[in-house]
Amino acid sequence: MVNLHKHNMKKFFILLFMQIAICCTTFAANYLTFTAEKDNSSFCIEESFIKSNIFYSLDNGETWIQLTQEPVSLSKGNQALLKGNGPNQTPSWSRHSNFKMTGSIAASGSVMSLVDGDGESKTIPYAKCFYQLFYNCYSLTQAPELPATTLKKECYREMFSGCTSLTQTPELPATTLADSCYYRMFVSCKNLTQAPKILPATTLATSCYREMFDRCTSLTQAPELPATTLADNCYNEMFYGCTSLTQAPKLPATTLADGCYFGMFESCNRLTQAPELPATTLATSCYREMFDGCTSLTQAPELPATSLAKECYREMFSECDLIEAPELPATTLAEDCYYGMFSGCTSLTLAPELPATTLADGCYNGMFSRCGLTQAPELPATTLADGCYFGMFNYCASLTQAPELPATTLAENCYKAMFVGCNGLTQAPELPATTLANGCYFGMFYDCTNLIQAPKLPATTLEEECYLVMFSGCTSLTQAPELPATTLADGCYNGMFSRCGLTQAPELPSTTLAKECYYEMFSECTSLTQAPELPATTLAENCYNRMFYGCEKLSHIKVAFTDWGTDTEIWVTDVAETGTFICPEELSLEYGDNFIPEGWTVKQEENTRTEAVATAEILKVHTSGLTIFVSNADTDIEVYEVGGRLIDKARNTKGDTQITVPQSGIYLVKAGAQTFKVAL
């Protein structure tokens, strides 16, 4: 009986201890724990206008001390437990707390103990809860557990940003996300090699994974992303600059959202394979810059969508090494939809067919800029949109033939910079349009150095900046097209033939000018010998400024205006040293870069100006030998040779002002607005 009793008592105590152990296990706290991996390691909390209410224990929970900005030292192998009850106010951009560390510290346990006291909670209590908690903790080698399944807006934002010693991420079990919850969570963790195997959430939120692994340059494998319904900017730049990433995860989503894949793999220069993209209905900026800078990507995924959206493919494959473009079946385009889509794809020699006949503003803007194309695709649209072909083929140096451009009514900036730097073009396409628009041909053939023939330009009514720098830098262009327009517009011919090889200028029949209409039109045309006749009698603001600047062989100009004004600024700088300037007798003979070229012979058309001046009561001129006498002048007096060289200049006096010339001949005497000839 006694032995049986003893046996039962022993069994009772064993069961009791087991139950106690179970209870202790059940209710044991899962504190956030810092373990030193090196001597002289330390940690503290840095507070910015907010009290963190965090406590630490160095004796396994026996004693708790409030954590401050004073560093807590740890020797190698020593541990500190941490707990808290949340800050005294909700964190914000300027009011939050974060750890500072030295040495080498591994974190373990649940981060939730900082807000619930024991680490057992699975619900994050407020927005920005752990915002920048370990920001730039270079000494952190291991992240703590993040067990929460219910998240809040920006709860983990930049939590481990700059933790350069972190090599592995914790598991992230949440299946329902919140706006920006993982935003920039691991930015610049350059030694991070392993991400979670899967991010299991199927219900996403705005910017939830945005820039999550931005510039994690050692990351070799991306997590699985099973979501099929996306949210705005959800994957925006998620793996930006992950230069060790060679393969993208599957992207099964068929319901997209604005900016959902924007820059997702931008600058992943070792990525060799793109994922399938099955969606047929797109969203604004959905694929924008998705593979921009993926210089190892040689093949694009199929793009079956026929319903496009604003900027949907913008710069999607910019700077990739694609050798073949995907089919683009859409016939109705959207604003900036193909903007820069293949820009910098230097290995791309063949463009896809572009069947669209309904264009949109900027739809093809820079689409093939700096590509290796040898032939342009057909462009069948006859109804254009603002900026639709802006820069479409600029610097395609191997392009030898331009597409036909059948439109007769243009749109603003429609052909702007379309073939800039295409120096394999020898002939421009026909341009039949007679109804122009602002900037329609702006820089269209800029720096096409091998262009030898310009198209006809039949329009007679121009628009603002319509021909602005259209052929600028076309050094092989020796003959300009006819320019029949008589109704000009501001800046219409601005720089049109600057730096061209023209030997002869076109006629300019208009007698009514517009602001900056001929500004720099022929500047630095170093083979031009004769300017077109300029029949306008009244100038407009800056109309002739820099018009013949740097035309070093130009030796003949004929004008009809009678007043210089301020509209010929440096228009004859660096022209030929000698030449002929023909002007009305009424035009005052002023010399220099803004007026008549010095050293040129002036021919004035017959008029009555000389007689009127000679008989004027205010100014009197007479000569004796080689001396000119001028009386009653109210301004300084200048004497020029007929060729334009200044002989002498004298200040006016109350009596006669004397100027002696070196030899006999015909001279021009100028005093203020009065100019006339004298023969000695």
Side-chain angles (χ1 to χ4, degrees):
M1 290 290 294
V2 173
N3 290 338
L4 180 61
H5 177 72
K6 287 182 178 180
H7 176 74
N8 289 338
M9 289 293 292
K10 183 176 181 181
K11 185 176 181 181
F12 169 78
F13 282 115
I14 290 173
L15 290 173
L16 178 63
F17 285 136
M18 288 178 66
Q19 289 177 345
I20 292 172
I22 290 171
C23 289
C24 290
T25 301
T26 302
F27 297 105
N30 186 15
Y31 296 124
L32 173 64
T33 303
F34 291 161
T35 302
E37 296 181 328
K38 289 181 180 178
D39 287 336
N40 300 317
S41 296
S42 71
F43 68 93
C44 66
I45 195 76
E46 186 173 90
E47 297 174 324
S48 176
F49 306 106
I50 188 171
K51 290 297 181 182
S52 57
N53 294 324
I54 294 176
F55 298 83
Y56 70 94
S57 173
L58 300 178
D59 54 10
N60 202 32
E62 292 288 330
T63 307
W64 293 93
I65 305 168
Q66 186 160 18
L67 185 62
T68 66
Q69 297 187 46
E70 189 66 30
V72 177
S73 297
L74 294 175
S75 299
K76 183 178 181 180
N78 286 356
Q79 290 186 332
L81 308 182
L82 294 101
K83 70 177 183 178
N85 54 13
N88 61 356
Q89 56 183 295
T90 302
S92 66
W93 308 121
S94 59
R95 298 174 181 271
H96 64 279
S97 303
N98 60 288
F99 289 113
K100 295 295 180 184
M101 295 179 172
T102 64
S104 181
I105 294 177
S108 58
S110 172
V111 74
M112 296 300 293
S113 71
L114 298 180
V115 291
D116 70 0
D118 58 17
E120 294 300 310
S121 175
K122 299 294 176 65
T123 300
I124 291 181
Y126 43 78
K128 299 186 183 73
C129 183
F130 299 118
Y131 169 58
Q132 289 192 347
L133 185 64
F134 295 99
Y135 184 81
N136 282 346
C137 283
Y138 311 120
S139 300
L140 185 69
T141 61
Q142 180 178 302
E145 298 170 21
L146 303 177
T149 54
T150 301
L151 308 186
K152 287 290 191 297
K153 181 179 180 179
E154 299 178 286
C155 57
Y156 295 131
R157 177 171 177 162
E158 299 178 59
M159 186 176 184
F160 301 101
S161 177
C163 292
T164 53
S165 297
L166 205 61
T167 60
Q168 189 172 347
T169 67
E171 291 185 9
L172 300 170
T175 55
T176 301
L177 307 187
D179 291 353
S180 301
C181 55
Y182 297 124
Y183 184 19
R184 296 176 62 84
M185 189 175 183
F186 300 101
V187 166
S188 297
C189 292
K190 65 180 183 180
N191 287 309
L192 194 70
T193 58
Q194 189 173 346
K197 184 177 180 181
I198 185 172
L199 293 172
T202 54
T203 302
L204 307 189
T206 299
S207 297
C208 55
Y209 297 122
R210 184 170 183 170
E211 300 175 49
M212 187 176 183
F213 300 102
D214 184 338
R215 284 166 289 164
C216 290
T217 53
S218 297
L219 190 67
T220 57
Q221 188 168 352
E224 293 179 25
L225 301 170
T228 55
T229 300
L230 306 189
D232 291 354
N233 292 302
C234 57
Y235 297 127
N236 189 323
E237 296 187 344
M238 186 177 184
F239 300 103
Y240 177 97
C242 291
T243 53
S244 296
L245 197 65
T246 59
Q247 189 171 353
K250 291 181 179 180
L251 299 174
T254 54
T255 302
L256 307 188
D258 292 353
C260 56
Y261 295 122
F262 189 152
M264 187 176 185
F265 302 101
E266 184 173 351
S267 298
C268 291
N269 57 19
R270 293 186 186 175
L271 193 71
T272 58
Q273 188 173 353
E276 292 183 12
L277 300 172
T280 55
T281 300
L282 306 189
T284 298
S285 297
C286 57
Y287 296 129
R288 180 174 174 176
E289 300 173 39
M290 187 175 184
F291 302 102
D292 183 4
C294 292
T295 53
S296 298
L297 194 64
T298 59
Q299 188 171 352
E302 292 183 11
L303 300 174
T306 55
S307 180
L308 306 189
K310 181 180 178 180
E311 298 184 339
C312 55
Y313 294 124
R314 179 169 178 165
E315 298 172 274
M316 186 177 184
F317 301 104
S318 178
E319 309 297 333
C320 289
D321 200 32
L322 295 187
I323 55 176
E324 186 176 352
E327 292 184 12
L328 299 172
T331 55
T332 300
L333 306 189
E335 185 179 341
D336 291 328
C337 57
Y338 295 130
Y339 186 123
M341 186 176 184
F342 302 103
S343 62
C345 293
T346 54
S347 297
L348 188 65
T349 57
L350 183 64
E353 291 184 14
L354 300 174
T357 54
T358 303
L359 307 188
D361 293 354
C363 55
Y364 293 123
N365 190 333
M367 186 177 185
F368 300 103
S369 172
R370 296 175 292 111
C371 282
L373 297 188
T374 56
Q375 186 175 350
E378 292 183 12
L379 300 173
T382 55
T383 302
L384 307 187
D386 292 353
C388 56
Y389 297 124
F390 188 162
M392 187 175 185
F393 302 102
N394 66 22
Y395 295 102
C396 289
S398 299
L399 193 67
T400 58
Q401 188 172 352
E404 291 184 13
L405 300 172
T408 55
T409 300
L410 305 189
E412 189 168 336
N413 294 319
C414 57
Y415 296 131
K416 183 176 180 179
M418 188 175 184
F419 300 103
V420 165
C422 291
N423 50 28
L425 276 170
T426 57
Q427 188 170 349
E430 292 183 11
L431 299 174
T434 54
T435 301
L436 307 188
N438 292 350
C440 55
Y441 295 121
F442 186 158
M444 187 176 186
F445 301 101
Y446 187 96
D447 275 352
C448 288
T449 54
N450 287 319
L451 188 69
I452 59 175
Q453 187 173 351
K456 292 181 180 179
L457 300 172
T460 56
T461 299
L462 306 188
E463 298 294 337
E464 289 184 14
E465 299 183 341
C466 57
Y467 296 130
L468 178 65
V469 296
M470 185 177 184
F471 300 101
S472 179
C474 293
T475 52
S476 299
L477 189 65
T478 59
Q479 187 173 356
E482 291 183 13
L483 300 175
T486 52
T487 302
L488 308 188
D490 292 353
C492 55
Y493 292 121
N494 190 331
M496 185 177 186
F497 299 104
S498 62
R499 299 181 295 113
C500 281
L502 297 188
T503 56
Q504 186 176 350
E507 291 184 14
L508 300 175
S510 181
T511 55
T512 302
L513 306 185
K515 180 181 177 181
E516 297 185 354
C517 56
Y518 297 127
Y519 186 95
E520 290 191 347
M521 186 175 185
F522 303 103
S523 69
E524 298 184 76
C525 287
T526 55
S527 298
L528 192 66
T529 59
Q530 183 170 339
E533 189 171 333
L534 302 175
T537 56
T538 302
L539 305 188
E541 185 180 345
N542 299 327
C543 58
Y544 293 140
N545 282 12
R546 303 178 66 93
M547 188 175 184
F548 304 109
Y549 177 93
C551 294
E552 59 188 36
K553 293 182 180 179
L554 187 69
S555 59
H556 187 279
I557 299 175
K558 183 178 181 180
V559 303
F561 58 86
T562 56
D563 186 6
W564 287 103
T566 58
D567 310 305
T568 54
E569 184 179 342
I570 59 174
W571 77 318
V572 290
T573 300
D574 294 333
V575 296
E577 293 183 0
T578 60
T580 302
F581 188 85
I582 304 172
C583 64
E585 189 74 21
E586 291 87 352
L587 184 66
S588 62
L589 301 183
E590 300 186 42
Y591 294 86
D593 289 347
N594 299 344
F595 306 104
I596 302 169
E598 292 189 9
W600 280 32
T601 299
V602 177
K603 293 184 179 180
Q604 290 184 293
E605 296 177 346
E606 186 177 348
N607 57 60
T608 59
R609 174 75 171 178
T610 300
E611 291 181 9
V613 171
T615 59
E617 292 183 2
I618 297 176
L619 187 66
K620 294 182 180 180
V621 178
H622 66 275
T623 64
S624 177
L626 296 179
T627 302
I628 301 171
F629 298 88
V630 181
S631 59
N632 297 333
D634 58 0
T635 63
D636 291 349
I637 301 160
E638 298 171 341
V639 176
Y640 294 87
E641 288 181 343
V642 174
R645 186 170 66 89
L646 179 66
I647 298 300
D648 203 354
K649 184 176 183 179
R651 301 182 69 85
N652 67 303
T653 61
K654 291 182 179 180
D656 286 347
T657 300
Q658 301 180 20
I659 299 176
T660 301
V661 296
Q663 60 189 20
S664 60
I666 297 175
Y667 293 88
L668 304 174
V669 179
K670 182 178 183 300
Q674 302 184 73
T675 303
F676 53 90
K677 298 177 185 177
V678 294
L680 299 176

